[in-house]
Amino acid sequence: MTTTYRYAELRPDQLTKRLETYPVVIAPWGALEWHGPHLPFGLDGLVAEAFCEQLAARTGAVLLPTTYLPITALPHPQSISIRTEVVRGTWLDLLSELGRAGFRLVCLVSGHYAQGHEIVLADLADEVSQRSAPLVLAGTPLALLGEPGLLDHAGRWETSQLLHYRPELVELTAVPAGPHPPVSQSAVLGEDPRVASAEQGRQVVERALKAWETWIDRLLRDNDLKALHQLYSSRRASYRTYVDRYFKGSWEAAIEAWWAEHTG
């Protein structure tokens, strides 16, 4: 039987043993964000949590409870967003505390990947890692595959992941009619979610789990700060067009400007 070491359930002697054996901790991160009429608000956290449970079971890493604190959720009336400075401070405190507790590597797996959220996370993970206390491997479940088309919103790949993990929460018949329903009605950015399937979700998740395992092994073995820095530099570069067009002082203002342009 596979054991999952949940931080909240470990006694001090058990946590000390895990730190001596395998000093890796996994933190699932989610959001309560509108994903259209076909998906639940908690999709990001539900997927991150399920993915992290698998990753923890496969590696022996300690698993933290899931946190729902998103920067710049889509500005739909029923989405919940937390101020950037609050989330950044929370991340910094959490990473510092986990390093102080004795973990060498923190895997922060964010199911929410709005542009501002991703950029702030990449900046902070890079900053903390370069201090080597602890190393931080951060990103979406599928980010380490290096295929930008997989990082959609409410589309084929996000929907497929939830169909794999929690199919009872998906209602594809609720997707607005037409080949390209507008973002304001569907929340879809990417391929049509009606072509999603649980099998596609299973396959892409399996590939992603292997990618995370490979990175974890590499960082524990080689302490490869250069590779981490390159990972985050590449991620920031992928958002350059968004930053240049919409960022005028705050990520909150940026997502409002983006939303107005795409739904006006």
Side-chain angles (χ1 to χ4, degrees), residues 7-8 16 48 57 94 129 144 153 195 212 241 256:
Y7 201 115
T16 297
L94 176 64
S129 294
L144 299 184
H153 187 271
V195 302
W212 278 85
T241 299
E256 290 288 351

Side-chain angles (χ1 to χ4, degrees), residues 173-193:
T173 61
V175 178
H180 302 290
V183 176
S184 60
Q185 296 178 20
S186 67
V188 174
L189 296 165
E191 295 181 61
D192 194 324

Side-chain angles (χ1 to χ4, degrees), residues 16-257:
T16 297
K17 184 176 181 180
R18 292 315 303 159
L19 287 166
E20 293 171 349
T21 305
Y22 196 75
V24 180
V25 63
I26 302 172
W29 211 268
L32 296 171
E33 177 187 38
W34 181 66
H35 281 80
H38 56 299
L39 297 169
F41 287 97
L43 180 150
D44 296 339
L46 294 168
V47 168
E49 182 174 67
F51 183 86
C52 289
E53 286 178 346
Q54 287 184 282
L55 186 60
R58 289 166 68 139
T59 61
V62 173
L63 180 64
L64 290 180
T66 304
T67 300
Y68 284 78
L69 289 179
I71 297 172
T72 63
L74 282 183
H76 182 276
Q78 294 172 325
S79 293
I80 295 176
S81 289
I82 307 299
R83 286 176 293 132
T84 296
E85 60 267 29
V86 173
V87 178
R88 190 185 190 282
T90 300
W91 279 334
L92 183 58
D93 286 352
L94 176 64
L95 296 172
S96 299
E97 287 293 286
L98 291 171
R100 186 177 62 83
F103 289 101
R104 284 183 53 205
L105 174 61
V106 179
C107 297
L108 204 161
V109 183
S110 176
H112 178 62
Y113 39 97
Q115 296 92 334
H117 184 99
E118 274 275 270
I119 292 168
V120 174
L121 179 55
D123 286 345
L124 189 63
D126 198 11
E127 173 189 325
V128 173
S129 294
Q130 298 309 311
R131 298 201 300 258
S132 299
L135 295 179
V136 183
L137 180 61
T140 72
L142 307 187
L144 299 184
L145 294 176
E147 301 174 31
L150 296 176
L151 304 183
D152 60 12
H153 187 271
R156 173 186 179 184
W157 294 108
E158 229 181 11
T159 302
S160 289
Q161 290 172 81
L162 196 62
L163 282 170
H164 168 55
Y165 286 127
R166 296 291 302 276
E168 76 279 8
L169 299 179
V170 179
E171 184 52 75
L172 291 179
T173 61
V175 178
H180 302 290
V183 176
S184 60
Q185 296 178 20
S186 67
V188 174
L189 296 165
E191 295 181 61
D192 194 324
R194 288 167 291 200
V195 302
S197 70
E199 178 58 20
Q200 291 177 78
R202 186 195 67 77
Q203 290 181 11
V204 78
V205 161
E206 179 59 28
R207 290 174 55 212
L209 286 165
K210 290 178 180 177
W212 278 85
E213 289 179 272
T214 298
W215 266 93
I216 291 169
D217 290 345
R218 177 182 181 181
L219 291 172
L220 286 178
R221 183 184 67 245
D222 302 332
N223 202 50
D224 197 342
L225 295 176
K226 182 177 179 181
L228 265 184
H229 179 66
Q230 290 174 339
L231 174 69
Y232 296 131
S233 295
S234 174
R235 193 169 301 163
R236 286 189 291 263
S238 71
Y239 290 117
R240 177 50 54 192
T241 299
Y242 177 88
V243 173
D244 291 344
R245 186 176 183 90
Y246 301 108
F247 186 78
K248 307 299 179 185
S250 78
W251 296 114
E252 286 74 19
I255 193 64
E256 290 288 351

